[in-house]
Amino acid sequence: MAVKIRLQRHGKKNFAFYHIVVADSRAPRDGKYIEHIGSYNPNTNPATIVLNSDSALAWLNKGAQPTLVARKLLSYEGVLLRKHLEGGIKKGALTQEQADQKFAAWKTEKLAKIEAKKQGLSKLAVDMANAAKEAEIKVNEQRAEAIAKRKAEAAAAEAAAKAEESAQAEEAVAEVAETTEA
C-alpha cells in the first residue's frame, strides 16, 4: 500500500483551508485517511501551519511520500531538515548534539524571518493607512477650494446683478426725470 502525506480540502468556497493527512494514495482527496497530522490555512498572511512534526517525521521514516505542496509545508516547518540530519547521525557524519545545534540555529533563523515579515506587513498597513489619510486630506482641501471659489463667483455674480439693477433703476429715474422736465 502506497502511503502519501497530502492535503485534504475543507472550508467554504473561495476560502479554503486544509488538513494535512497521511492517507492511502488510492483514497479520494477528501476521503478516508490514516492519520491527521496538522492543518494549513493559506488565508492568513503569513500562512498558518500547525503540524505535529514528530508524527510527520515518523511517517516519512516509514516511507510515506509527501505530495508537492505537502513537501513544501514539511520543508517550511523543518521536518525534512530533521530527517536529513537523522540520516547524517545514522551514517556517523554528525553527532546528536551537532544535529540539534544545526536544527536550533535553523529554527531561530526561520522564526526571525517570519517575525520580520509580520513586522513588514504591519508597517506596510500603517503606511497605506497614512497614505490614504493624506490623499483624503488633499481631496478635502481641493473640495474646500472649489466651494470657496463657487461662493466667490456667486458673490461676484450677485454683486454684478445688484449693480446692474441699481444702474437700471438710475436709468429709470433719469428717464422719469427727463419726461417730467420735458
Side-chain angles (χ1 to χ4, degrees):
M1 171 171 84
V3 177
K4 293 268 189 189
I5 298 175
R6 63 184 182 194
L7 301 180
Q8 197 176 55
R9 190 183 193 283
H10 292 276
K12 299 189 298 186
K13 183 178 179 182
N14 296 326
F15 201 77
F17 71 92
Y18 301 90
H19 288 219
I20 304 169
V21 297
V22 178
D24 182 4
S25 62
R26 296 169 291 184
R29 178 192 72 180
D30 297 336
K32 186 176 170 184
Y33 59 89
I34 299 169
E35 184 180 354
H36 177 270
I37 59 173
S39 64
Y40 166 58
N41 185 359
N43 301 313
T44 60
N45 195 1
T48 306
I49 302 169
V50 178
L51 182 68
N52 181 350
S53 14
D54 295 331
S55 180
L57 183 62
W59 278 104
L60 285 174
N61 287 334
K62 289 178 189 175
Q65 295 296 313
T67 60
L68 184 63
V69 176
R71 178 176 292 278
K72 289 184 184 233
L73 295 175
L74 294 174
S75 176
Y76 183 83
E77 287 294 310
V79 175
L80 296 179
L81 177 64
R82 281 181 48 202
K83 183 175 190 257
H84 175 72
L85 292 173
E86 280 186 5
I89 292 169
K90 287 178 186 173
K91 291 179 182 177
L94 327 161
T95 64
Q96 183 65 41
E97 294 79 28
Q98 290 173 330
D100 291 341
Q101 285 177 344
K102 285 186 177 192
F103 184 72
W106 177 86
K107 193 69 171 174
T108 56
E109 182 180 326
K110 185 72 168 182
L111 291 175
K113 284 182 183 178
I114 292 170
E115 190 60 36
K117 181 175 182 177
K118 286 180 182 178
Q119 289 177 354
L121 289 172
S122 63
K123 184 180 182 300
L124 179 66
V126 168
D127 290 345
M128 288 177 65
N130 288 339
K133 284 180 184 177
E134 289 175 9
E136 186 177 351
I137 289 171
K138 279 185 179 180
V139 168
N140 288 342
E141 288 174 355
Q142 290 173 349
R143 285 181 182 164
E145 289 174 5
I147 290 170
K149 185 177 179 182
R150 276 190 253 134
K151 283 183 179 179
E153 288 174 357
E158 192 175 312
K162 284 184 181 180
E164 189 176 322
E165 284 180 20
S166 63
Q168 287 176 357
E170 287 177 11
E171 287 178 16
V173 169
E175 284 180 20
V176 168
E178 285 179 13
T179 55
T180 54
E181 287 180 9

